[in-house]
Amino acid sequence: MNLSRTTLLAGLVAGLLLGACGRSPQECMERAMYFESNRSSRDGMVAVGSVVMNRVESGQYPRSVCGVVAQRGQFAPRIMSRRMDSRSLPLVRETARSVLQGERHPMIGSAMFFHTAGHRFPYDNMHYVLVTGGNAFYEKRKNYLVTQPVPPQPIEGITGWRGW
C-alpha cells in the first residue's frame, strides 16, 4: 500500500486527538471522572482528572487521555462502553473541560494512583496524598520514603483529607 506523507500525518493527528478508542479527550476524561469519582464532588472529579493527566504526561502510560482511560485493568470495568446518566453530565463536562485546560488538584502533586477509600492493601510503598470523592490517592515510593502509609477514614461532611 502506498500512502502519502500527508495522509499518514493526518491519520496520526486524528489518532492522537481521538485516541485509540475513537472518542475525544473530553469524553474520555468525562468517563474517568463519572465512573471513578461516583460523581460525589467536583473535588473528587478534579483529583481523578489530575491522576489521568499525570499518567499522560509521565511517559510510563499511553500519551493520550483516551489511551490512559481505556487502558485495560486500570480504571472501572467497561469504562468506555457503560452508559452515563445525563443528570450528572453538566458538572462532569465542566470539570473535565477545566482539567483538560490545565486545572489540577493542588494536593495530588505527581500521584498517578488511587483506589476506593476504605480499602487497605498490604503494600509498603503507598504514600497517600489525598482522600476525596470516595477515593484515596497515592504516590508509589520506596518504602523508607513513605510517611503517610495509611489513609484515614473519611469524616462525615468533609470532602477532602489533606494530610496529617
Side-chain angles (χ1 to χ4, degrees):
M1 184 187 279
N2 214 356
L3 296 174
S4 72
R5 291 182 90 184
T6 305
T7 303
L8 289 173
L9 184 58
L12 178 62
V13 169
L16 289 173
L17 291 176
L18 294 177
C21 61
R23 299 180 189 269
S24 71
Q26 173 78 28
E27 183 180 353
C28 293
M29 184 63 78
E30 290 170 8
R31 289 181 162 280
M33 291 175 170
Y34 182 92
F35 290 111
E36 293 294 352
S37 73
N38 300 316
R39 298 149 321 273
S40 59
S41 68
R42 187 177 191 286
D43 193 60
M45 288 189 286
V46 171
V48 167
S50 297
V51 165
V52 170
M53 295 309 296
N54 284 348
R55 286 183 176 201
V56 168
E57 296 163 1
S58 75
Q60 300 171 40
Y61 293 88
R63 303 288 283 167
S64 71
V65 172
C66 290
V68 166
V69 174
Q71 191 175 23
R72 172 170 248 132
Q74 296 297 305
F75 291 96
R78 298 182 6 254
I79 193 167
M80 300 309 291
S81 62
R82 289 170 45 196
R83 190 174 163 273
M84 297 189 291
D85 178 19
S86 62
R87 290 175 288 184
S88 303
L89 289 181
L91 178 60
V92 172
R93 282 194 174 118
E94 179 279 319
T95 307
R97 188 176 309 111
S98 184
V99 168
L100 289 170
Q101 291 174 351
E103 181 181 1
R104 299 294 182 269
H105 196 288
M107 300 305 297
I108 290 295
S110 60
M112 290 191 283
F113 309 96
F114 62 92
H115 60 75
T116 302
H119 286 188
R120 298 287 184 264
F121 297 92
Y123 311 115
D124 63 358
N125 66 338
M126 300 165 78
H127 176 82
Y128 290 93
V129 296
L130 177 71
V131 174
T132 187
N135 293 307
F137 296 83
Y138 63 96
E139 299 171 350
K140 287 185 180 178
R141 294 184 176 180
K142 295 189 182 306
N143 63 353
Y144 59 86
L145 297 174
V146 172
T147 59
Q148 297 173 151
V150 178
Q153 292 294 335
I155 299 170
E156 188 68 33
I158 297 183
T159 60
W161 165 80
R162 289 170 167 64
W164 270 265

